[in-house]
Amino acid sequence: MSSRQGLRRCGIQLEAFAVNVLKDSAETTRNVYVYSLERFFDYLYREHRDTFPSFDEGSVNAFFREPLESEGRSRIYIHKLYSAIAAFSKYLDKPLNKSNVFEDIHPKGRIEGRLERIEARLYRDYVTVLQDRNADLKLGKLRDKLRNYLIFRVVASTGLSLEEVLEWNLSDVDGPLCSAHPELQGSLKEYRRFRLDNDQRIYYLKLQRQEAQGRSPEPVHRAIREEIALAAVPPLREPDQAYDMLLEMALLRYTERNFQFNPALFVSNRYKRVSKDAIVDAFKLVGFYSSRL
């Protein structure tokens, strides 16, 4: 194959990849992936012209050494390049073996080691809540801690900006950006299952806590009173016990009528799409500032 044929074929494949695989991704993400792949194939044409446009883990490793050593790029930047190349390789039905790709890259520096420690800290925060004897009553906090840990992993692994990651929906877990990182995708699928199984109960427990503390918004409080008025239970000896049963029935009925599942991948404790400011503040608590990504 001549270089002209190789360039034309490469261009056609990249165009098809962008149209068929990245069509539902944010424009910024598409631009980053296309730019990364164009840079990679430019390198292949310059340095591996005899085999261009074919590539394997060895040529990917060699490509990574160039920006690492000559440009002083961080491993976060390299992971961004890898995400694009891995997604494109999967599109070609020639997936890369990640364990072989990074074998020749120089050892991690102090910054990368610090990122790993911060990730471990975020994970410990999650495990601490998980091990609490009242973990069921703290499902919302558990969801928040797991969310923070996974957001950090996604940003550090893919090189995407925090803004892009926070725009993801649950359906994006099955997309090409995640499939390029199988272990991370597995964790995100488990998190999605946790959300699907527990979000409604978290909503109910929050209502229950607000009612007990007298903090329910007036419209909610009024609706729950109306639910109680409609409920009927057998007479009980203890009036307080009867009221508790009525309240539980009213809260459950209100939850069933009003809970609406949020398809955003990462949600706040107010059950909205979590904001960048909230995550930046959470990262600051473990000594990390998002501007370093």
mmCIF file of all heavy atoms in Angstrom, residues 148-173:
data_model
loop_
_atom_site.group_PDB
_atom_site.id
_atom_site.type_symbol
_atom_site.label_atom_id
_atom_site.label_comp_id
_atom_site.label_asym_id
_atom_site.label_seq_id
_atom_site.Cartn_x
_atom_site.Cartn_y
_atom_site.Cartn_z
ATOM 1 N N ASN A 148 -17.760 10.198 44.017
ATOM 2 C CA ASN A 148 -16.512 10.977 44.010
ATOM 3 C C ASN A 148 -15.332 10.122 43.571
ATOM 4 O O ASN A 148 -14.481 10.561 42.782
ATOM 5 C CB ASN A 148 -16.249 11.546 45.402
ATOM 6 C CG ASN A 148 -17.320 12.531 45.842
ATOM 7 O OD1 ASN A 148 -18.119 12.995 45.035
ATOM 8 N ND2 ASN A 148 -17.338 12.841 47.123
ATOM 9 N N TYR A 149 -15.279 8.901 44.092
ATOM 10 C CA TYR A 149 -14.184 7.985 43.739
ATOM 11 C C TYR A 149 -14.191 7.672 42.244
ATOM 12 O O TYR A 149 -13.145 7.728 41.580
ATOM 13 C CB TYR A 149 -14.314 6.709 44.569
ATOM 14 C CG TYR A 149 -13.479 5.556 44.084
ATOM 15 C CD1 TYR A 149 -12.090 5.598 44.162
ATOM 16 C CD2 TYR A 149 -14.079 4.413 43.556
ATOM 17 C CE1 TYR A 149 -11.317 4.529 43.712
ATOM 18 C CE2 TYR A 149 -13.317 3.350 43.114
ATOM 19 C CZ TYR A 149 -11.942 3.404 43.188
ATOM 20 O OH TYR A 149 -11.182 2.354 42.743
ATOM 21 N N LEU A 150 -15.367 7.382 41.699
ATOM 22 C CA LEU A 150 -15.447 7.000 40.295
ATOM 23 C C LEU A 150 -15.207 8.184 39.368
ATOM 24 O O LEU A 150 -14.596 8.025 38.300
ATOM 25 C CB LEU A 150 -16.805 6.364 40.013
ATOM 26 C CG LEU A 150 -16.993 4.966 40.604
ATOM 27 C CD1 LEU A 150 -18.422 4.481 40.420
ATOM 28 C CD2 LEU A 150 -16.011 3.973 39.987
ATOM 29 N N ILE A 151 -15.666 9.365 39.745
ATOM 30 C CA ILE A 151 -15.393 10.542 38.920
ATOM 31 C C ILE A 151 -13.890 10.761 38.808
ATOM 32 O O ILE A 151 -13.356 11.032 37.724
ATOM 33 C CB ILE A 151 -16.085 11.794 39.500
ATOM 34 C CG1 ILE A 151 -17.596 11.705 39.306
ATOM 35 C CG2 ILE A 151 -15.553 13.071 38.847
ATOM 36 C CD1 ILE A 151 -18.367 12.826 39.969
ATOM 37 N N PHE A 152 -13.198 10.631 39.925
ATOM 38 C CA PHE A 152 -11.739 10.798 39.902
ATOM 39 C C PHE A 152 -11.101 9.760 38.979
ATOM 40 O O PHE A 152 -10.227 10.081 38.177
ATOM 41 C CB PHE A 152 -11.178 10.665 41.317
ATOM 42 C CG PHE A 152 -9.703 10.969 41.404
ATOM 43 C CD1 PHE A 152 -9.274 12.269 41.616
ATOM 44 C CD2 PHE A 152 -8.761 9.974 41.260
ATOM 45 C CE1 PHE A 152 -7.919 12.567 41.676
ATOM 46 C CE2 PHE A 152 -7.411 10.252 41.320
ATOM 47 C CZ PHE A 152 -6.990 11.554 41.533
ATOM 48 N N ARG A 153 -11.563 8.510 39.090
ATOM 49 C CA ARG A 153 -11.001 7.455 38.244
ATOM 50 C C ARG A 153 -11.254 7.731 36.773
ATOM 51 O O ARG A 153 -10.370 7.522 35.925
ATOM 52 C CB ARG A 153 -11.608 6.101 38.622
ATOM 53 C CG ARG A 153 -11.045 5.490 39.887
ATOM 54 C CD ARG A 153 -11.478 4.044 40.028
ATOM 55 N NE ARG A 153 -10.974 3.243 38.921
ATOM 56 C CZ ARG A 153 -11.368 1.987 38.686
ATOM 57 N NH1 ARG A 153 -12.294 1.430 39.445
ATOM 58 N NH2 ARG A 153 -10.872 1.307 37.677
ATOM 59 N N VAL A 154 -12.462 8.175 36.433
ATOM 60 C CA VAL A 154 -12.788 8.437 35.027
ATOM 61 C C VAL A 154 -11.919 9.557 34.473
ATOM 62 O O VAL A 154 -11.329 9.430 33.390
ATOM 63 C CB VAL A 154 -14.280 8.794 34.871
ATOM 64 C CG1 VAL A 154 -14.573 9.255 33.443
ATOM 65 C CG2 VAL A 154 -15.159 7.595 35.221
ATOM 66 N N VAL A 155 -11.814 10.655 35.222
ATOM 67 C CA VAL A 155 -11.019 11.791 34.744
ATOM 68 C C VAL A 155 -9.546 11.400 34.605
ATOM 69 O O VAL A 155 -8.897 11.715 33.599
ATOM 70 C CB VAL A 155 -11.184 12.990 35.704
ATOM 71 C CG1 VAL A 155 -10.231 14.112 35.319
ATOM 72 C CG2 VAL A 155 -12.618 13.501 35.682
ATOM 73 N N ALA A 156 -9.014 10.689 35.602
ATOM 74 C CA ALA A 156 -7.598 10.312 35.569
ATOM 75 C C ALA A 156 -7.312 9.269 34.498
ATOM 76 O O ALA A 156 -6.223 9.258 33.913
ATOM 77 C CB ALA A 156 -7.170 9.788 36.939
ATOM 78 N N SER A 157 -8.257 8.384 34.221
ATOM 79 C CA SER A 157 -8.023 7.298 33.268
ATOM 80 C C SER A 157 -8.225 7.730 31.824
ATOM 81 O O SER A 157 -7.497 7.292 30.932
ATOM 82 C CB SER A 157 -8.961 6.117 33.556
ATOM 83 O OG SER A 157 -8.703 5.562 34.825
ATOM 84 N N THR A 158 -9.213 8.583 31.587
ATOM 85 C CA THR A 158 -9.541 8.948 30.207
ATOM 86 C C THR A 158 -8.914 10.259 29.765
ATOM 87 O O THR A 158 -8.798 10.507 28.567
ATOM 88 C CB THR A 158 -11.063 9.078 30.025
ATOM 89 O OG1 THR A 158 -11.541 10.185 30.811
ATOM 90 C CG2 THR A 158 -11.773 7.803 30.460
ATOM 91 N N GLY A 159 -8.545 11.116 30.730
ATOM 92 C CA GLY A 159 -8.011 12.419 30.366
ATOM 93 C C GLY A 159 -9.077 13.414 29.968
ATOM 94 O O GLY A 159 -8.761 14.533 29.571
ATOM 95 N N LEU A 160 -10.369 13.029 30.069
ATOM 96 C CA LEU A 160 -11.451 13.961 29.768
ATOM 97 C C LEU A 160 -11.524 15.036 30.844
ATOM 98 O O LEU A 160 -11.095 14.812 31.981
ATOM 99 C CB LEU A 160 -12.786 13.221 29.681
ATOM 100 C CG LEU A 160 -12.921 12.185 28.559
ATOM 101 C CD1 LEU A 160 -14.240 11.439 28.696
ATOM 102 C CD2 LEU A 160 -12.833 12.858 27.201
ATOM 103 N N SER A 161 -12.090 16.174 30.496
ATOM 104 C CA SER A 161 -12.239 17.231 31.485
ATOM 105 C C SER A 161 -13.349 16.868 32.462
ATOM 106 O O SER A 161 -14.238 16.062 32.159
ATOM 107 C CB SER A 161 -12.580 18.566 30.798
ATOM 108 O OG SER A 161 -13.892 18.515 30.253
ATOM 109 N N LEU A 162 -13.287 17.500 33.646
ATOM 110 C CA LEU A 162 -14.312 17.251 34.654
ATOM 111 C C LEU A 162 -15.689 17.633 34.115
ATOM 112 O O LEU A 162 -16.681 16.922 34.352
ATOM 113 C CB LEU A 162 -13.988 18.055 35.916
ATOM 114 C CG LEU A 162 -14.873 17.822 37.148
ATOM 115 C CD1 LEU A 162 -14.885 16.358 37.541
ATOM 116 C CD2 LEU A 162 -14.386 18.684 38.311
ATOM 117 N N GLU A 163 -15.787 18.735 33.374
ATOM 118 C CA GLU A 163 -17.069 19.162 32.817
ATOM 119 C C GLU A 163 -17.651 18.101 31.895
ATOM 120 O O GLU A 163 -18.858 17.825 31.936
ATOM 121 C CB GLU A 163 -16.910 20.472 32.037
ATOM 122 C CG GLU A 163 -16.595 21.689 32.906
ATOM 123 C CD GLU A 163 -15.095 21.907 33.062
ATOM 124 O OE1 GLU A 163 -14.325 20.939 32.846
ATOM 125 O OE2 GLU A 163 -14.695 23.040 33.376
ATOM 126 N N GLU A 164 -16.806 17.491 31.060
ATOM 127 C CA GLU A 164 -17.298 16.462 30.134
ATOM 128 C C GLU A 164 -17.826 15.248 30.889
ATOM 129 O O GLU A 164 -18.893 14.715 30.561
ATOM 130 C CB GLU A 164 -16.172 16.027 29.194
ATOM 131 C CG GLU A 164 -15.760 17.059 28.183
ATOM 132 C CD GLU A 164 -14.574 16.591 27.362
ATOM 133 O OE1 GLU A 164 -13.432 16.669 27.851
ATOM 134 O OE2 GLU A 164 -14.806 16.138 26.229
ATOM 135 N N VAL A 165 -17.085 14.810 31.902
ATOM 136 C CA VAL A 165 -17.478 13.614 32.643
ATOM 137 C C VAL A 165 -18.798 13.843 33.380
ATOM 138 O O VAL A 165 -19.646 12.947 33.438
ATOM 139 C CB VAL A 165 -16.368 13.210 33.637
ATOM 140 C CG1 VAL A 165 -16.834 12.077 34.544
ATOM 141 C CG2 VAL A 165 -15.117 12.794 32.869
ATOM 142 N N LEU A 166 -18.998 15.036 33.925
ATOM 143 C CA LEU A 166 -20.216 15.312 34.681
ATOM 144 C C LEU A 166 -21.442 15.422 33.771
ATOM 145 O O LEU A 166 -22.568 15.400 34.270
ATOM 146 C CB LEU A 166 -20.056 16.603 35.499
ATOM 147 C CG LEU A 166 -18.964 16.568 36.564
ATOM 148 C CD1 LEU A 166 -18.978 17.843 37.392
ATOM 149 C CD2 LEU A 166 -19.121 15.354 37.473
ATOM 150 N N GLU A 167 -21.234 15.505 32.460
ATOM 151 C CA GLU A 167 -22.351 15.536 31.526
ATOM 152 C C GLU A 167 -22.794 14.123 31.126
ATOM 153 O O GLU A 167 -23.807 13.965 30.433
ATOM 154 C CB GLU A 167 -21.981 16.327 30.266
ATOM 155 C CG GLU A 167 -21.943 17.833 30.473
ATOM 156 C CD GLU A 167 -23.288 18.380 30.889
ATOM 157 O OE1 GLU A 167 -24.305 18.014 30.272
ATOM 158 O OE2 GLU A 167 -23.332 19.175 31.859
ATOM 159 N N TRP A 168 -22.078 13.105 31.551
ATOM 160 C CA TRP A 168 -22.435 11.742 31.175
ATOM 161 C C TRP A 168 -23.768 11.325 31.788
ATOM 162 O O TRP A 168 -24.122 11.737 32.893
ATOM 163 C CB TRP A 168 -21.351 10.767 31.646
ATOM 164 C CG TRP A 168 -20.148 10.736 30.765
ATOM 165 C CD1 TRP A 168 -19.845 11.581 29.748
ATOM 166 C CD2 TRP A 168 -19.067 9.815 30.844
ATOM 167 N NE1 TRP A 168 -18.641 11.249 29.181
ATOM 168 C CE2 TRP A 168 -18.143 10.170 29.834
ATOM 169 C CE3 TRP A 168 -18.786 8.730 31.660
ATOM 170 C CZ2 TRP A 168 -16.961 9.461 29.625
ATOM 171 C CZ3 TRP A 168 -17.610 8.022 31.459
ATOM 172 C CH2 TRP A 168 -16.702 8.386 30.442
ATOM 173 N N ASN A 169 -24.490 10.469 31.052
ATOM 174 C CA ASN A 169 -25.676 9.802 31.564
ATOM 175 C C ASN A 169 -25.362 8.328 31.799
ATOM 176 O O ASN A 169 -24.300 7.839 31.386
ATOM 177 C CB ASN A 169 -26.833 9.949 30.573
ATOM 178 C CG ASN A 169 -27.291 11.393 30.451
ATOM 179 O OD1 ASN A 169 -27.365 12.119 31.436
ATOM 180 N ND2 ASN A 169 -27.587 11.819 29.231
ATOM 181 N N LEU A 170 -26.272 7.606 32.427
ATOM 182 C CA LEU A 170 -26.025 6.196 32.702
ATOM 183 C C LEU A 170 -25.777 5.412 31.423
ATOM 184 O O LEU A 170 -25.012 4.447 31.422
ATOM 185 C CB LEU A 170 -27.192 5.582 33.481
ATOM 186 C CG LEU A 170 -27.096 5.684 35.005
ATOM 187 C CD1 LEU A 170 -27.371 7.102 35.484
ATOM 188 C CD2 LEU A 170 -28.056 4.725 35.695
ATOM 189 N N SER A 171 -26.408 5.824 30.327
ATOM 190 C CA SER A 171 -26.237 5.119 29.059
ATOM 191 C C SER A 171 -24.812 5.235 28.517
ATOM 192 O O SER A 171 -24.366 4.376 27.752
ATOM 193 C CB SER A 171 -27.227 5.654 28.021
ATOM 194 O OG SER A 171 -27.057 7.051 27.835
ATOM 195 N N ASP A 172 -24.065 6.276 28.927
ATOM 196 C CA ASP A 172 -22.699 6.461 28.427
ATOM 197 C C ASP A 172 -21.737 5.402 28.959
ATOM 198 O O ASP A 172 -20.634 5.251 28.425
ATOM 199 C CB ASP A 172 -22.187 7.856 28.809
ATOM 200 C CG ASP A 172 -22.896 8.962 28.047
ATOM 201 O OD1 ASP A 172 -22.991 8.836 26.816
ATOM 202 O OD2 ASP A 172 -23.376 9.919 28.673
ATOM 203 N N VAL A 173 -22.155 4.676 30.000
ATOM 204 C CA VAL A 173 -21.302 3.602 30.528
ATOM 205 C C VAL A 173 -21.070 2.535 29.466
ATOM 206 O O VAL A 173 -20.028 1.869 29.460
ATOM 207 C CB VAL A 173 -21.954 2.984 31.784
ATOM 208 C CG1 VAL A 173 -21.204 1.739 32.240
ATOM 209 C CG2 VAL A 173 -21.992 4.015 32.906
#
